[in-house]
Amino acid sequence: MRLPRPWPSRRLRGPRSLAGQLFAMQVVLVAVVVAGCALFAYLSAQRQAEATARRQTTAVATAVADSPVVVAAARTKDPTAVLQPYTERLRRDAGVDFVVVMAPDGTRWTHPDPAAIGKTYLGHIGPALRGRIFPETYQGTLGPSARVVAPVHDPRQGGRITALVSAGITVETISEQLRDQVLAVLGVAAGALALGGLGTYVINARLRRHTHGMNAAELSRMHDYHQAALHAVREGLLMLDGQRRVALINDGGRELLGLSGDAVGLPVTELGLPQPLTEALLAPGPRVDELHLTAERVLVVNASPVSGGERLGSVVTLRDHTELQALSGELDSVRGFAEALRSQAHEAANRLHTVVSLIELGRAEEAVDFATAELELAQALTDQVVGAVAEPVLAALLLGKAAQANERGVELVLTPDSRIDDGVLPPGLPARDLVTVLGNLIDNAIDAAAPPQEHAAAVQVTARAAGGELLLCVADNGPGVAAGATEEIFRRGWSTKSGPGRGLGLALVRQAVRRNRGTLTLDRAPGGGARFTVRLPLHAPGDAPGGPATTGGTR
């Protein structure tokens, strides 16, 4: 999402996009590099051209000075007649601008311009008269030139210097040769600049698409907002790349998934999540409001793939559904209680009518006996529950579930050894978790034992706090659980009943048991059905039984 920025006026335009800034910088950089390389190539070519000219003229001058023709002509009275045609032919063949043969006093015997023959040579000849070959650049009759002067030794005269030879190339000729090289260098530089500019444009066009035309300030501001939003959002946010590795996760996501440390870069399969949740995160398609369980939470998972011409990954949002699910379970229990109370009210009305009718018929004693029997039957279970379970939340739950069971034709029995004194349950054991555990186990037992079946349906409940632990045991005389489904029944979605919202009760029970460091076991009841046994510690790890963790009121 591109951040809004002030509307630019016609005269004052906003900052150039990041791609545009990089493009301009790269073009300038390429231009500077190419210009620098071109200048370096020009200077190198200039030095190379001068060095080549110097070597060429040195070779020509020394070759002419060593030529027997020149040595022999220097002995004659008219050296020009022999040397002028010779030097001109040599000049054209060697590619130099002039080859001048002169007397030791500097009088020219040869010259490309015949009018200059017989005149004094323009340049220095002193080192050559001392027998040394030397180069110089001097302004002569043909203009500035790079020249070399070499002495001519006559062997017949004991090596005496009888003549001098000067060969040279004008600066203009050197410049013409350099100009051709510079044009080639400039052509290469222009091609490199064009190629570099084209490559820079292509790269920056791609960068512009990825940055959506935003400038550096906008990208920095977006990063700040992005970081602030990640830490401010209470819901979990998880971003996965195309290889299903964690690309980003916020604080809420780490908390909801129970992750510790830095999970960025880890594959989803290495996060230690439950198998159904891992499969949901690995699935390629979108996910909408799916319920998944972790060790301690119920999560609502939504996933949406991110595509941009290629699969880039997915964005996953996580919402904590634990409290809402617990409230939903409590609401279902309240609804069940209401239905049971309505049924009991209907039955009470029928019995009251019976009592009234007996009195009207003059059968007062029979009316009293009938009313007394009904009161004793209703009060017996209440007295048993209240006497055995002093914990008000559990007592209310058992009475409500007994009414529900009676409505469905199932007898709910509290075993004689049940005993929970007031103040035994520690504050660290939430009453809501106890309602989740015992309520769901009783509901499942009632569903399993409910008619039709051949024998009387019954559910037996044991609730006992002793030995530093709370024991909750629910057994039924229904068909029981198949041997191969012992572990499968605790998976989210497993249920023997059809309909929405089912298959979550036992998964929530195991989650609550794990959250309170307890154990949950399943075996066969004496009546042939299933028996679920939950054991929850009444003191925190490291606390002695009967210490502060095992005293105090309930929540």
Side-chain angles (χ1 to χ4, degrees):
M1 179 181 70
R2 184 171 181 178
L3 299 175
R5 57 182 178 182
W7 184 265
S9 63
R10 293 187 177 182
R11 293 184 179 181
L12 298 177
R13 299 185 61 185
R16 187 187 295 271
S17 67
L18 177 63
Q21 294 177 9
L22 290 177
F23 177 73
M25 292 175 59
Q26 289 172 341
V27 167
V28 172
L29 181 61
V30 170
V32 170
V33 171
V34 170
C37 292
L39 179 61
F40 176 77
Y42 169 76
L43 295 177
S44 298
Q46 185 180 27
R47 289 193 298 269
Q48 184 178 5
E50 292 176 355
T52 301
R54 193 75 64 192
R55 288 194 300 270
Q56 185 178 1
T57 54
T58 300
V60 172
T62 54
V64 173
D66 293 338
S67 174
V69 176
V70 176
V71 174
R75 300 192 197 108
T76 64
K77 295 181 179 181
D78 187 10
T80 302
V82 177
L83 296 179
Q84 179 67 12
Y86 170 74
T87 56
E88 284 301 300
R89 182 173 66 254
L90 184 61
R91 177 183 66 83
R92 290 190 296 268
D93 294 340
V96 295
D97 289 323
F98 64 87
V99 177
V100 175
V101 182
M102 68 195 82
D105 60 358
T107 302
R108 298 190 187 99
W109 290 340
T110 66
H111 197 276
D113 182 6
I117 296 175
K119 297 181 179 180
T120 303
Y121 171 76
L122 300 178
H124 300 93
I125 60 176
L129 291 175
R130 292 191 293 271
R132 185 168 64 89
I133 300 174
F134 77 98
E136 69 171 346
T137 300
Y138 197 84
Q139 176 76 30
T141 58
L142 300 179
S145 60
R147 59 183 68 181
V148 172
V149 181
V152 177
H153 298 274
D154 189 348
R156 291 184 181 182
Q157 300 181 20
R160 188 173 64 89
I161 298 175
T162 58
L164 301 174
V165 177
S166 175
I169 300 177
T170 62
V171 173
E172 182 179 357
T173 300
I174 297 174
S175 299
E176 289 179 356
Q177 297 175 354
L178 182 61
R179 190 178 303 116
D180 295 338
Q181 296 180 4
V182 169
L183 290 177
V185 170
L186 290 178
V188 173
L193 182 61
L195 185 61
L198 179 61
T200 301
Y201 175 79
V202 172
I203 293 174
N204 282 274
R206 182 180 179 86
L207 179 62
R208 187 179 293 109
R209 288 196 302 271
H210 287 301
T211 58
H212 301 285
M214 289 185 289
N215 56 44
E218 289 175 326
L219 288 174
S220 177
R221 190 161 59 248
M222 172 174 282
H223 176 268
D224 294 339
Y225 288 148
H226 173 269
Q227 292 297 321
L230 285 179
H231 292 289
V233 172
R234 297 298 301 273
E235 288 76 11
L237 180 63
L238 180 66
M239 296 185 183
L240 305 176
D241 60 17
Q243 285 72 41
R244 285 297 182 264
R245 294 173 302 195
V246 178
L248 183 146
I249 185 170
N250 68 344
D251 299 338
R254 289 190 183 91
E255 181 180 357
L256 294 179
L257 295 178
L259 302 178
S260 59
D262 189 8
V264 175
L266 292 178
V268 172
T269 53
E270 296 182 9
L271 297 180
L273 302 177
Q275 185 64 24
L277 180 56
T278 301
E279 293 175 355
L281 296 179
L282 293 176
R287 300 279 170 164
V288 179
D289 291 341
E290 288 189 359
L291 284 179
H292 289 274
L293 274 72
T294 64
E296 297 183 357
R297 298 179 185 272
V298 179
L299 302 180
V300 178
V301 178
N302 287 272
S304 177
V306 179
S307 300
E310 56 179 330
R311 180 163 184 78
L312 302 178
S314 60
V315 176
V316 181
T317 59
L318 308 169
R319 297 199 309 273
D320 192 356
H321 200 63
T322 308
E323 296 293 330
L324 182 59
Q325 189 65 39
L327 292 175
S328 177
E330 293 178 7
L331 179 59
D332 291 340
S333 298
V334 170
R335 286 175 178 170
F337 296 159
E339 291 293 333
L341 290 174
R342 184 163 52 249
S343 300
Q344 288 183 342
H346 182 72
E347 288 297 320
N350 290 336
R351 292 162 184 162
L352 182 59
H353 290 158
T354 302
V355 172
V356 171
S357 298
L358 288 173
I359 293 174
E360 289 178 349
L361 293 174
R363 315 287 288 271
E365 293 183 2
E366 295 181 6
V368 172
D369 293 339
F370 179 81
T372 301
E374 289 297 324
L375 287 175
E376 289 177 352
L377 182 63
Q379 190 65 28
L381 179 61
T382 302
D383 292 341
Q384 181 187 8
V385 170
V386 173
V389 181
E391 170 60 40
V393 174
L394 291 181
L397 176 67
L398 289 172
L399 290 174
K401 292 300 181 182
Q404 286 182 265
N406 184 61
E407 175 68 18
R408 298 184 59 180
V410 178
E411 180 185 9
L412 190 146
V413 179
L414 186 65
T415 60
D417 60 341
S418 296
R419 185 75 182 179
I420 300 179
D421 295 329
D422 191 16
V424 171
L425 300 184
L429 185 59
R432 176 172 294 175
D433 285 349
L434 296 179
V435 171
T436 298
V437 172
L438 191 57
N440 280 289
L441 291 179
I442 293 176
D443 286 340
N444 286 342
I446 293 174
D447 287 340
Q453 58 180 342
E454 297 178 357
H455 50 271
V459 173
Q460 191 177 65
V461 178
T462 301
R464 184 173 66 249
E469 68 176 10
L470 173 64
L471 172 67
L472 301 176
C473 182
V474 179
D476 62 75
N477 61 351
V481 178
T486 302
E487 182 63 25
E488 186 70 13
I489 63 173
F490 295 106
R491 182 179 56 84
R492 181 187 67 86
W494 188 93
S495 177
T496 58
K497 306 289 185 180
S498 61
R502 292 191 174 270
L504 196 59
L506 290 178
L508 291 175
V509 169
R510 185 165 70 170
Q511 186 184 74
V513 171
R514 286 180 176 175
R515 187 162 54 243
N516 292 281
R517 310 182 316 279
T519 60
L520 172 62
T521 58
L522 167 64
D523 58 3
R524 191 167 185 83
R531 179 172 61 185
F532 291 87
T533 304
V534 174
R535 297 179 184 274
L536 300 175
L538 293 179
H539 54 85
D543 293 339
T550 62
T551 61
T554 60
R555 293 182 62 182

